[in-house]
Amino acid sequence: MAKVRKIPLRKSVVSGEVIDKRDLLRVVKTKEGEVFIDPTGKKNGRGAYIKLDNQEAQLAKKKQVFNRSFSMEVPETFYDELIAYVDHKIKRRELGLE
């Protein structure tokens, strides 16, 4: 009998949807207070997830969701970087590179 693997699920901080971890993007806050995108999903620190979706990235910037998730002021430039990264990842998926 084949062993059934559990699919890791995580909740998006923007929409509140519970989705397969592979369809989400992890954002990490370290103990030093750095906030950055974690493409591997394995870096140390507090993680928060958003769906790989342009509208969700725009909404994250509008609502400043990571300020609330990490209890700190996240710079506006990070949100712009996040939007560009999500756009890049979506285009790569459409081309079949991922």
Side-chain angles (χ1 to χ4, degrees), residues 27-79:
V27 177
V28 176
K29 176 195 168 206
T30 62
K31 287 183 180 178
E32 292 78 37
E34 282 182 84
V35 177
F36 56 92
I37 296 167
D38 178 15
T40 63
K42 297 177 181 177
K43 302 256 191 246
N44 285 337
R46 169 93 170 91
Y49 296 84
I50 70 161
K51 194 178 356 174
L52 268 173
D53 180 47
N54 286 328
Q55 286 87 15
E56 191 129 339
Q58 296 284 342
L59 209 56
K61 180 178 180 178
K62 183 180 174 190
K63 290 182 173 182
Q64 304 279 308
V65 292
F66 295 113
N67 293 8
R68 200 169 342 116
S69 294
F70 298 138
S71 303
M72 64 176 278
E73 193 64 38
V74 177
E76 196 76 21
T77 55
F78 171 76
Y79 288 104

Side-chain angles (χ1 to χ4, degrees), residues 82-98:
L82 177 73
I83 291 166
Y85 184 83
V86 168
D87 192 44
H88 173 74
K89 286 296 253 185
I90 289 171
K91 286 181 180 164
R92 282 184 61 90
R93 275 193 177 173
E94 286 173 357
L95 292 172
L97 298 173
E98 286 183 16

